[in-house]
Amino acid sequence: MTSVKLLSGNAAIARGAYEAGVTFAAGYPGTPSTEILENIVQYKDRITSEWAPNEKVAFEAAAGAALAGARVITTMKHVGLNVAADPLMTLSYIGVEGGFVACVADDPGMHSSQNEQDTRHYARFAKIPIFEPANSQEAKDFVGLALEVSEKYRTPVILRSNTRISHSRGLVTTGERRESSRAIGFVKNPPRYVPIPMWARQMRKEVEERLGQLGAEADRSPANRIEWRDRSLGIVTASIAYQYVREVWPEASVLKLGFSYPFPDGLIRQFAEGVQRLLVVEELDPIIEEHIHAMGIECEGRRWIPGIGELSPTRLRECRAAMEGKAKVADTGAAPPFAADLPARPPVLCPGCPHRGVFYALSKHDVVVTGDIGCYSLGVFKPLDRLDVILCMGGGVSMAHGMSKAGEPRKIVGVVGDSTFFHSGITGLLDVAYNRSSVTIIVVDNRTTAMTGHQDHPGTGRTLMGEETVAASIAEIGRACGVKRVREVNPYDQQATQKAIAEEIAADEPSLVVSVAACPLRERKRIGLQRVILPEVCKSCRACLKIGCPAIENVGDKPQINEFLCGGCGICQQVCKFNAIVTVEEEP
């Protein structure tokens, strides 16, 4: 039975996985891909779904299930595919048995990412197919198409989404689940599955032969289509850019690519021969444009279409005006100045955030602090100003070690979150202990993967399916890595936290501090009693403002605490030397 539902792209991908008979899904949360697994878990009677410690583990677990014959998906954001790149490149060689789809969500414009990447490069790099839906309906339908192509050619397939596709909603016609008829059971076949050089060389040839066959498949795929209209201008496009093209050039003919790699050369030639002028509109890198040029076909693209940031109808209207000689072409990734008259609001740690206590304690020391990707990256902003460099997940630990070995004269502190510790911080900590750098690693453990929306991880004691499970101890793992100085602190206790951090920074050996306090947004309750500043006692020294709490407002000649924002953590009360901050119950 079919029905029509309003679904986001991520919810539609989850539905597509359900209908296509997927039985295993694994991923690591990362905006804008996170909600795929959060929607899949509603089908837990048919699909086993799980958060993995990182994208590489998720990819490898899904690969194992596919080699046993199951239909699988794995999910991640674009930078997560960097982590999973190693198994991706070799899975392309050994292939799969059950359908395997890697759902990768790009973030053009870097709404919540540290860089801008075009995942299509990975498809070409690994010589595997890529599908690019342009709306929620295609997001659902392309999962099934991708799985069929995967099983037919025994290849992993990438389904590339992006922020707009993942988070926009559209009407989706849903259907019934179709179970796979493939039997589950791994069949031993070393020449196929063991890529030692003597067999891998043959696999390399087969990958190239497969790529040729896939190009022919793309030419006849229902995911690609020509829409003939006025033939004075033809536009080749894909993904969300197709929607913008239809809005900005409604009269133009369009070659819409959904199965965009390997390139459907026959379809491209047919379309190019049918139009007078050929334009390529693609978000981020000029991958299609360069290929069409390489085919010897004249086309335009980057000359008019910006390659930095997210496209939009507004930006493409500027491009069209430039093409028609009416305006200068837009050449930056700057967002349209919506509500430009509003005051700027720099990102800050939430009221009551436990990370504030750690960064405030670190502000007492002249040390180098290497950080990671997570809520705690906000420690870089003033007034805390206690994070000096961020590279990637797990990099906060490894960079601290490297700086120490390079001879950095100051003491070095590496900061990592709990989820990031399990993601890829453990191996860095092993390196710290094994190669003996006297750095201090601080794990800010707020008992969840906070920045992506409070997902569970191996330290929380719960699975994505809602089951109770083992809760891995960060402190015990630290000891198992070989770190002898391991201590846990409550970051809301400033005296104890400052004492512990000072002692560990001074130590001449590796140390691990685990700051343990749950994220108050996840707990959905105050940490303690609400605080208030007594104006008759306050000396207006503004020491309380130095903790960077958004609940403390600099109003008039003395600070005030916003009663609606105060989380009751009490750090402000501990830093006030004049006892001007009290609990509401103590207020005279």
Side-chain angles (χ1 to χ4, degrees):
M1 177 183 293
T2 63
S3 62
V4 177
K5 297 180 178 179
L6 185 64
L7 298 178
S8 69
N10 282 343
I13 290 172
R15 180 69 194 187
Y18 168 77
E19 291 183 11
V22 165
T23 58
F24 180 76
Y28 184 80
T31 305
S33 70
T34 307
E35 299 84 3
I36 300 173
L37 281 193
E38 290 182 332
N39 278 280
I40 274 188
V41 77
Q42 68 181 298
Y43 308 114
K44 62 184 179 182
D45 59 329
R46 300 294 183 90
I47 304 176
T48 297
S49 57
E50 59 186 37
W51 293 123
N54 65 33
E55 297 84 356
K56 181 174 179 289
V57 172
F59 195 102
E60 291 163 346
L67 291 175
R71 283 191 160 191
V72 305
I73 69 168
T74 180
T75 69
M76 61 202 70
K77 66 183 298 182
H78 61 292
V79 288
L81 190 56
N82 299 333
V83 182
D86 194 11
L88 166 68
M89 301 306 290
T90 304
L91 190 64
S92 172
Y93 274 41
I94 67 176
V96 297
E97 194 61 27
F100 179 105
V101 174
C103 302
V104 185
D106 285 3
D107 185 16
M110 294 179 279
H111 297 281
S112 59
S113 305
Q114 64 270 44
N115 66 33
E116 206 173 52
Q117 284 180 210
D118 194 324
T119 290
R120 294 177 298 170
H121 286 294
Y122 270 112
R124 189 163 58 174
F125 191 20
K127 302 180 185 297
I128 63 172
I130 190 168
F131 282 78
E132 296 186 83
N135 55 37
S136 293
Q137 182 69 58
E138 288 189 347
K140 181 191 82 79
D141 295 341
F142 282 8
V143 174
L145 282 175
L147 286 166
E148 290 172 7
V149 168
S150 175
E151 291 182 348
K152 182 177 180 180
Y153 295 95
R154 293 182 170 181
T155 177
V157 177
I158 292 176
L159 180 79
R160 182 201 184 210
S161 181
N162 56 42
T163 305
R164 295 297 152 187
I165 297 295
S166 289
H167 291 165
S168 297
R169 293 174 183 268
L171 294 176
V172 177
T173 300
T174 62
E176 298 294 329
R177 178 175 169 88
R178 305 175 303 281
E179 300 290 351
S180 171
S181 59
R182 192 178 298 272
I184 299 298
F186 177 73
V187 179
K188 183 180 176 68
N189 185 356
R192 178 183 168 191
Y193 294 127
V194 183
I196 57 177
M198 60 181 288
W199 289 323
R201 295 189 188 102
Q202 177 59 30
M203 295 176 189
R204 172 74 181 87
K205 296 177 184 176
E206 292 170 355
V207 166
E208 209 63 36
E209 292 169 1
R210 184 184 70 197
L211 199 60
Q213 297 166 4
L214 285 164
E217 182 77 32
D219 258 335
R220 57 179 181 268
S221 172
N224 297 327
R225 66 172 183 267
I226 293 175
E227 299 172 357
W228 291 117
R229 299 185 188 86
D230 183 352
R231 299 198 182 207
S232 62
L233 177 65
I235 301 176
V236 183
T237 188
S239 187
I240 190 64
Y242 166 77
Q243 306 291 359
Y244 306 153
V245 164
R246 288 301 311 276
E247 194 168 329
V248 176
W249 286 278
E251 78 287 358
S253 293
V254 174
L255 170 55
K256 179 191 176 303
L257 301 182
F259 184 170
S260 58
Y261 186 82
F263 302 106
D265 289 350
L267 211 55
I268 291 172
R269 290 189 188 281
Q270 178 191 350
F271 185 68
E273 291 169 358
V275 298
Q276 297 173 21
R277 186 181 184 184
L278 190 62
L279 174 69
V280 180
V281 178
E282 54 190 324
E283 207 163 47
L284 299 181
D285 295 336
I287 295 175
I288 300 173
E289 180 190 355
E290 288 177 357
H291 179 72
I292 293 176
H293 278 304
M295 294 171 69
I297 298 173
E298 192 65 33
C299 70
E300 301 168 89
R302 182 52 51 82
R303 178 184 177 190
W304 307 110
I305 310 300
I308 300 174
E310 193 174 27
L311 294 181
S312 67
T314 301
R315 295 186 79 191
L316 290 184
R317 285 191 188 95
E318 294 174 356
C319 299
R320 177 168 185 164
M323 289 176 64
E324 296 172 352
K326 300 176 181 175
K328 183 181 177 182
V329 66
D331 59 359
T332 72
F338 297 126
D341 55 336
L342 290 177
R345 293 193 308 162
V348 295
L349 295 169
C350 301
C353 176
H355 303 339
R356 178 171 290 104
V358 170
F359 286 117
Y360 185 74
L362 281 173
S363 71
K364 307 293 182 184
H365 303 273
D366 180 21
V367 294
V368 178
V369 182
T370 59
D372 249 293
I373 308 299
C375 297
Y376 41 95
S377 62
L378 299 176
V380 71
F381 295 110
K382 292 184 181 302
L384 294 169
D385 193 19
R386 209 46 300 209
L387 202 58
D388 298 305
V389 58
I390 294 173
L391 179 63
C392 61
M393 300 279 278
V397 181
S398 305
M399 282 193 296
H401 175 72
M403 280 191 184
S404 172
K405 289 296 183 181
E408 163 60 42
R410 288 172 291 174
K411 285 285 189 174
I412 304 161
V413 177
V415 177
V416 63
D418 45 340
S419 185
T420 307
F421 177 78
F422 293 114
H423 178 279
S424 49
I426 295 174
T427 47
L429 188 64
L430 265 172
D431 196 29
V432 166
Y434 176 64
N435 286 306
R436 305 188 58 75
S437 56
S438 57
V439 300
T440 297
I441 303 301
I442 300 177
V443 180
V444 283
D445 180 1
N446 61 4
R447 316 302 301 149
T448 187
T449 313
M451 201 168 200
T452 48
H454 303 122
Q455 290 76 32
D456 285 304
H457 59 62
T460 65
R462 293 180 298 273
T463 71
L464 175 60
M465 308 270 277
E467 301 162 334
E468 297 292 324
T469 185
V470 61
S473 165
I474 294 172
E476 290 303 317
I477 289 174
R479 294 185 183 96
C481 287
V483 181
K484 296 177 180 176
R485 295 183 67 96
V486 179
R487 58 201 298 178
E488 293 182 320
V489 298
N490 174 3
Y492 296 128
D493 184 341
Q494 264 302 290
Q495 185 176 4
T497 300
Q498 291 187 23
K499 180 175 183 293
I501 288 178
E503 290 174 354
E504 297 313 316
I505 287 175
D508 193 25
E509 62 177 298
S511 62
L512 172 66
V513 177
V514 186
S515 165
V516 185
C519 172
L521 289 187
R522 172 157 181 157
E523 298 298 306
R524 296 181 182 275
K525 62 181 181 182
R526 289 185 191 273
I527 301 141
L529 296 172
Q530 183 187 331
R531 264 64 176 184
V532 62
I533 297 176
L534 303 176
E536 65 276 16
V537 182
C538 176
K539 305 298 182 185
S540 198
C541 69
R542 286 171 162 70
C544 55
L545 292 172
K546 294 180 181 177
I547 65 174
C549 178
I552 305 177
E553 301 169 340
N554 193 20
V555 180
D557 59 347
K558 293 184 179 178
Q560 297 178 8
I561 295 178
N562 186 314
E563 62 178 304
F564 299 107
L565 293 179
C566 178
C569 71
I571 293 179
C572 58
Q573 187 175 15
Q574 297 174 58
V575 303
C576 179
K577 298 178 180 177
F578 304 103
N579 297 320
I581 300 178
V582 299
T583 66
V584 172
E585 289 187 350
E586 296 169 328
E587 188 179 12

